[in-house]
Amino acid sequence: MAAVSIAELDPTTLATMHVNQLAARLNLTDAQKTSAIGIFTNAYTNAQTVQASLQTNRDSLRAAIKANNTASIDQLSTASGALNGQLTAINAKAEAAFYALLTADQKALYDAMPHGGGPGRGGFGGGPAGPRGRRGQ
C-alpha cells in the first residue's frame, strides 16, 4: 500500500491532525478541540480553492514567460499577489478564531511556541497553507 501524502488528505483529517498536535501542547478541552477542528476544517477547505487557483496561475505564468508575454506576466503576477493575500486572510482568520477559544494560560503557551502560532509557512506548522505551501507546488 502506497503512503498517503499530506496534500492528499481531506480537510477534516488535516484539521484533526493539527488540533491533536495543538491539544498535546496546550491541554485543550474536548469542547475546544471540537471547535478548533471546525475552524481549521473550514480554513483548509477555503485554502484548497485558493491553492488550486494559485497552481493554475503558476502554470499560466510559466507559459507567459516562455512566450515572453510581458503583459500577461504583469497581470498574472498581480493576480498571484491577490491570491496569496486571500490565503493570508484565511489563515489569519482561522488563527484569530482559534486564539479566541484559548484560556489566558493556553494563550501564553501558544504565544511561546517556536513557530509563533501564525498561519502557513512558519506558522500553524501545517496550517491551510502549510505542507502544501504556496510555493511548494
Side-chain angles (χ1 to χ4, degrees), residues 56-77:
T56 300
N57 178 279
R58 282 189 294 271
D59 293 343
S60 297
L61 185 57
R62 277 191 285 279
I65 289 167
K66 290 178 182 179
N68 194 25
N69 185 338
T70 58
S72 287
I73 290 170
D74 288 339
Q75 184 272 327
L76 291 163
S77 296

Side-chain angles (χ1 to χ4, degrees), residues 12-107:
T12 302
T13 300
L14 289 168
T16 301
M17 290 169 54
H18 183 58
V19 170
N20 286 341
Q21 291 174 344
L22 290 169
R25 293 180 173 179
L26 302 175
N27 195 29
L28 299 177
T29 66
D30 288 342
Q32 286 174 314
K33 288 181 209 174
T34 299
S35 294
I37 288 169
I39 290 166
F40 293 122
T41 296
N42 288 336
Y44 280 110
T45 300
N46 293 336
Q48 282 180 337
T49 301
V50 178
Q51 288 169 337
S53 295
L54 272 169
Q55 183 61 53
T56 300
N57 178 279
R58 282 189 294 271
D59 293 343
S60 297
L61 185 57
R62 277 191 285 279
I65 289 167
K66 290 178 182 179
N68 194 25
N69 185 338
T70 58
S72 287
I73 290 170
D74 288 339
Q75 184 272 327
L76 291 163
S77 296
T78 300
S80 177
L83 291 167
N84 278 297
Q86 288 176 29
L87 279 179
T88 299
I90 290 166
N91 292 328
K93 289 174 186 177
E95 181 182 1
F98 174 72
Y99 197 77
L101 298 174
L102 302 178
T103 65
D105 289 341
Q106 289 169 326
K107 287 177 181 178

